[in-house]
Amino acid sequence: MKSIFSLTTMFLAGVGLTTANPVPAPQADTTAPGPYHISGFFASKAHLSSYCRFEFNVSAPSLPDPVTCSAYLDTGFSGATWLAYVYEGAGNCNSGAVTWTFWHPRGAETDRNDAVFNVTVDGEKGTYIVPKEDIIVNLNDVNNPFDNDVFYGGPREFDIVEFPAE
Ligand SMILES: *[C@@H]1O[C@H](CO)[C@@H](O)[C@H](O)[C@H]1NC(C)=O
Ligand SMILES: *[C@@H]1O[C@H](CO)[C@@H](O)[C@H](O)[C@H]1NC(C)=O
C-alpha cells in the first residue's frame, strides 16, 4: 500500500508542475495554414532580353499585413520560351516570414509545360500549379530566334490551397 501511495503522490506532483508552467497553444496539425491569397501576380520576360521580372503580393492568415515579393532573374537567353527559374533564396520579399520559388520547365513553344509556384509562409509551403495555357509565348519575329516574349497571362489574383506534407 505504501508504495502505491508514493506513486500517486509523485503523479499528482507531476500534474501540478505541468499546469503551473505556461502551456504552448496546441498546434493545428490537421488544419491547412492557408489559403495564401496572391494578388497582382506578374511574370514576364521582355523581348530581346533574357531577364524575367516577377512581382506579387501575398496575404495569409499568419501574416499581419500583405507581403510584397519580387525577383529579377536570367532565363539564360533572350530566345527562351520559358520563364526564369526562381530557386529557393532567389526571390525577395519585404518580410522574412515568406520565401518562394517558381519553376517553369524548359520546353519549345509548341511543347510547353505547367509551372510550379511555391510560397512558404512561416515554414508552411503552399503549392500552386500554373497551367501551361496561362504562360504565353510570342515568337515576335520568325527571322529572329532571340526576339521572344514570355509572360504570365492568367488571373492575377488567386488562392494557394495545396499544402503538400513533407
Ligand atoms: C502590392 O501591394 C502594394 C501595397 O498595396 C501595392 O502598392 C503594389 O502595387 C502591389 N503589388 C502588386 C504586384 O500588385
Ligand atoms: C515546390 O513544391 C513541390 C511540392 O512540394 C516540390 O515537389 C518542388 O520541388 C518545389 N519546387 C521547388 C523549386 O523547390
Side-chain angles (χ1 to χ4, degrees), residues 84-99:
Y85 175 29
V86 185
Y87 50 91
E88 193 68 53
N92 303 303
C93 294
N94 66 353
S95 160
V98 181
T99 63

Side-chain angles (χ1 to χ4, degrees), residues 45 52 75-77 79-85 104-108 135 137 150:
K45 186 199 84 63
C52 262
T75 53
F77 88 117
T81 50
W82 56 89
L83 290 165
Y85 175 29
H104 184 206
R106 294 179 176 211
I135 298 172
V137 177
V150 187

Side-chain angles (χ1 to χ4, degrees), residues 39-40 55-57 68 156:
S39 59
E55 283 172 15
F56 64 91
N57 282 332
T68 299
R156 299 195 69 191

Side-chain angles (χ1 to χ4, degrees), residues 60-144:
S62 68
L63 294 172
D65 296 302
V67 170
T68 299
C69 300
S70 65
Y72 188 63
L73 289 166
D74 198 348
T75 53
F77 88 117
S78 64
T81 50
W82 56 89
L83 290 165
Y85 175 29
V86 185
Y87 50 91
E88 193 68 53
N92 303 303
C93 294
N94 66 353
S95 160
V98 181
T99 63
W100 60 285
T101 61
F102 189 94
W103 168 238
H104 184 206
R106 294 179 176 211
E109 190 271 340
T110 50
D111 181 27
R112 284 180 290 130
N113 297 301
D114 293 344
V116 182
F117 176 45
N118 292 337
V119 177
T120 302
V121 179
D122 291 322
E124 298 278 3
K125 180 168 76 178
T127 290
Y128 180 79
I129 305 297
V130 179
K132 57 186 173 211
E133 296 77 19
D134 284 353
I135 298 172
I136 317 298
V137 177
N138 286 337
L139 306 180
N140 294 312
D141 179 351
V142 284
N143 298 315
N144 184 350

